[in-house]
Amino acid sequence: MADTSHFPRRHRWHEGGMHRITLRHGAHRWTFRFADHDARAMIAHVARLARDPEAPFDWFDASVVCHQIARVQADTPSPQHGSGGRGRMT
């Protein structure tokens, strides 16, 4: 299991609604890139990775990444609600 000393970093790509979430865990580093409309597919990919016994990526890591994906989605204004929105981490 991962310890809580690794911190996810989230970056927003300003063009095209692309997002990048980077997770560091010990000597490992994962970077997940996805568009706004691909968030569900990315969550499914993260779950598959956590299920893989050969991957050094566990369910705690998956929950951290999925939490960051949810934050990205919450911070991304929808077209119906205008361009406002909550503050973004960069």
Side-chain angles (χ1 to χ4, degrees):
M1 168 156 312
D3 64 29
T4 56
S5 65
H6 68 292
F7 297 103
R9 293 187 325 164
R10 179 171 55 124
H11 302 280
R12 178 156 173 90
W13 295 353
H14 296 289
E15 57 278 344
M18 296 297 294
H19 305 282
R20 179 175 61 207
I21 295 171
T22 299
L23 176 75
R24 291 186 177 139
H25 173 193
H28 302 283
R29 178 179 146 178
W30 294 273
T31 299
F32 302 93
R33 294 181 178 102
F34 61 98
D36 289 332
H37 63 276
D38 289 331
R40 285 183 188 217
M42 181 54 66
I43 290 170
H45 174 73
V46 167
R48 283 191 302 274
L49 185 59
R51 279 194 300 269
D52 182 352
E54 300 293 318
F57 186 89
D58 61 24
W59 285 104
F60 181 82
D61 297 327
S63 70
V64 170
V65 171
C66 288
H67 176 75
Q68 291 299 314
I69 292 170
R71 287 186 65 185
V72 164
Q73 292 298 290
D75 287 348
T76 303
S78 66
Q80 305 94 309
H81 296 105
S83 61
R86 292 184 269 175
R88 291 182 173 83
M89 290 175 48
T90 56

